[in-house]
Amino acid sequence: LTEAARPLLRGKQPLHLRKLTKKATRKMAGVSRRYGDAAENALWNGLRGTRQRLAEEQAIPAYMIFHDATLMEMVEMRPDTLERLGRISGIGKRKLEAYGEAFLEVLNAHPIGSEADEVTDTVEESLNLFRLGMDADTIAAQRGIKPETVYAHLATAIANGELPLNDVVPLDGAELERVRLAFESCAEEGGRIKPVYEALEGQYDYSSLRCIKAALSQG
């Protein structure tokens, strides 16, 4: 100590020291977001739930499926086809093939706002025309939509119990059981139809399998 320290030691001069503060740390436990609209919030939670399920099935971190930013863009853009889903940032060809159908199913199951009424109306219109005896191709031509879209409408009606499966895809008990077992054996594929299509060696087209899946979802 020098002579300058004597006033400090005698208490005649105050000592000012810098207070060291612990640097704030930012927790990265995952982004949690709530939307003001209840329907949008339900969609957000549905997308995150599907991502978590797929991640657990593959024993990988959820972000390796899709980042939160990608899910947020899904909520905002509302893609209704695989092609449109593929335009979302963070969804490349490989991920679209691996996870596209699973997330598209969630998106189509959560219409938002006035879209909910529009979806109900368009499904009902296709269903009414089908009940009049028109097939999917005829309905598609009359409405200016694709046959695949008509089958998606019919699958929705089947899932809601408004239409028997056999009215759309006639199957005997043995055939239905075979397809059911194929869906069961491909359960780890995240609900995708492509693995089931391949397991059945292309015997049933995608539209038929979508309708069968809707019927099986009723238990």
Side-chain angles (χ1 to χ4, degrees), residues 49-184:
T50 295
R51 180 182 63 177
Q52 185 61 36
R53 173 176 61 80
L54 292 172
E56 290 175 355
E57 289 174 355
Q58 299 176 45
I60 60 176
Y63 72 83
M64 292 186 67
I65 305 292
F66 291 130
H67 287 284
D68 278 333
T70 300
L71 300 188
M72 291 175 187
E73 192 170 344
M74 288 185 198
V75 174
E76 293 167 3
M77 301 302 294
R78 299 305 322 288
D80 56 358
T81 66
L82 286 174
E83 180 185 0
R84 291 175 180 173
L85 184 62
R87 300 173 190 169
I88 299 292
S89 301
I91 304 181
K93 182 179 179 180
R94 184 186 65 80
K95 288 193 174 184
L96 184 65
E97 292 178 351
Y99 311 123
E101 289 184 4
F103 282 89
L104 190 63
E105 188 170 329
V106 177
L107 286 160
N108 289 336
H110 290 80
I112 292 177
S114 61
E115 291 181 20
D117 294 331
E118 292 175 6
V119 170
T120 300
D121 290 343
T122 192
V123 170
E124 193 67 27
E125 186 174 348
S126 292
L127 179 57
N128 288 336
L129 293 174
F130 184 79
R131 285 170 173 165
L132 290 174
M134 297 184 186
D135 59 21
D137 290 334
T138 304
I139 296 172
Q142 178 164 322
R143 299 197 56 200
I145 58 180
K146 295 180 179 180
E148 292 81 1
T149 303
V150 176
Y151 276 109
H153 295 166
L154 298 179
T156 298
I158 291 170
N160 292 337
E162 299 177 88
L163 185 66
L165 171 63
N166 275 351
D167 285 1
V168 185
V169 186
L171 295 174
D172 59 34
E175 286 181 301
L176 182 59
E177 179 63 12
R178 180 177 175 231
V179 178
R180 186 191 68 78
L181 290 174
F183 271 106
E184 189 175 287

Side-chain angles (χ1 to χ4, degrees), residues 35-45 75 112:
Y35 290 84
D37 184 271
E40 287 185 339
N41 202 54
L43 172 57
W44 167 248
N45 289 330
V75 174
I112 292 177

